Amino acid sequence: MSLKIVKDMETQILDKATEMFMAQGFKTVTMDDIANDLSISKKTIYQHFASKPDLIEKCLAHINSIFLKQLEESLSKNEEAIPEMFRAYTDINKIFVIDCSSSFYQLSKYYPKIAQKQKAFHQKKYVKLIEKNLKKGIKEGVYRSDLDVEFVARFYIASYTTIEDLDFFPKNMYTHLEVHAMHSEYHFRSIATEKGLKKYYELLHKRQ
């Protein structure tokens, strides 16, 4: 079997597993489910991935790569701070068009060590990007000058993760879109000056 065919099969498994894990949950989806959906044997999956946790980690690395690339792209268009962050929210929500809250809830509950690695990745990669946006907004006068930039950036990333926790935000109380919209508004209202809030609500009105 050629390396290309091996790689193609590995990519197919990774793509399908990612899709199923995100839609149904990391615990709910079994290796048998993935094999059946791809019309391959479970043995074929284990030829490419040592275990289900190994597959989950590689799927998360795949998701992180897409997410980080989109965020970096959204924050590199030389826009003003609030339109830049507003675009980031919009673009990321386009990637995750499905409700992933159940998936990440299962990840934390059943695969805590992998979930902890996710947190470490978020701290390392995302905090600096948010800090950059905050510093830009302060210079523009749309964010408050007295902000603790590092704290706000860390709180933003931590809270973005927490809104996926179904213990705090159960589906019978909040839809996926509602909780993300409220998180966005909370973020801007807590850091923006009067000038910044005016700009934020103008953008919100245009999107609606």
Side-chain angles (χ1 to χ4, degrees):
M1 188 179 290
S2 72
L3 181 61
K4 185 178 187 304
I5 293 173
V6 171
K7 274 292 182 185
D8 284 348
M9 177 54 68
E10 186 174 310
T11 301
Q12 285 180 51
I13 295 168
L14 187 64
D15 287 345
K16 177 55 67 176
T18 300
E19 176 191 320
M20 294 178 73
F21 284 144
M22 296 305 286
Q24 301 172 46
F26 291 100
K27 175 66 173 176
T28 302
V29 175
T30 66
M31 300 294 259
D32 283 314
D33 292 331
I34 298 165
N36 290 337
D37 214 274
L38 285 168
S39 299
I40 60 175
S41 69
K42 191 162 64 171
K43 182 181 177 182
T44 302
I45 297 178
Y46 285 118
Q47 288 173 348
H48 300 277
F49 303 94
S51 62
K52 184 178 177 183
D54 177 49
L55 178 57
I56 289 172
E57 285 206 56
K58 287 184 169 65
C59 286
L60 287 169
H62 182 51
I63 294 164
N64 286 335
S65 174
I66 295 170
F67 191 95
L68 184 60
K69 182 181 178 183
Q70 183 59 67
L71 186 58
E72 287 175 334
E73 214 172 275
S74 300
L75 299 179
S76 67
K77 296 184 182 296
N78 245 359
E79 293 180 300
E80 293 178 350
I82 289 181
E84 178 180 80
M85 200 64 197
F86 196 86
R87 174 194 288 275
Y89 263 105
T90 304
D91 289 348
I92 287 166
N93 281 336
K94 284 177 184 175
I95 294 174
F96 295 106
V97 291
I98 58 170
D99 183 351
C100 306
S101 53
S102 295
S103 300
F104 288 115
Y105 178 77
Q106 288 185 17
L107 183 71
S108 297
K109 187 172 183 179
Y110 297 104
Y111 302 96
K113 289 183 179 178
I114 299 176
Q116 195 58 43
K117 288 183 181 179
Q118 273 290 94
K119 285 185 181 179
F121 178 86
H122 292 163
Q123 289 176 15
K124 182 179 179 182
K125 297 292 184 179
Y126 298 143
V127 169
K128 294 298 179 187
L129 289 173
I130 303 304
E131 284 182 353
K132 187 177 178 182
N133 177 266
L134 290 169
K135 289 173 183 176
K136 179 191 284 190
I138 290 171
K139 285 182 181 178
E140 293 172 359
V142 294
Y143 296 157
R144 297 190 345 252
S145 60
D146 60 345
L147 291 180
D148 183 324
V149 170
E150 184 178 356
F151 172 81
V152 172
R154 287 176 175 272
F155 181 80
Y156 172 80
I157 296 300
S159 60
Y160 200 91
T161 304
T162 302
I163 62 174
E164 301 291 350
D165 190 326
L166 295 178
D167 286 333
F168 286 103
F169 303 100
K171 289 186 176 183
N172 64 341
M173 291 182 66
Y174 305 96
T175 69
H176 179 67
L177 290 176
E178 283 172 346
V179 77
H180 277 264
M182 287 189 280
H183 179 261
S184 171
E185 184 170 3
Y186 177 87
H187 175 67
F188 285 114
R189 284 180 64 86
S190 65
I191 66 171
T193 60
E194 188 175 336
K195 174 185 173 183
L197 277 178
K198 183 180 178 184
K199 188 174 287 290
Y200 166 70
Y201 282 115
E202 284 173 356
L203 288 169
L204 193 62
H205 180 71
K206 284 179 183 177
R207 190 178 68 179
Q208 291 172 342

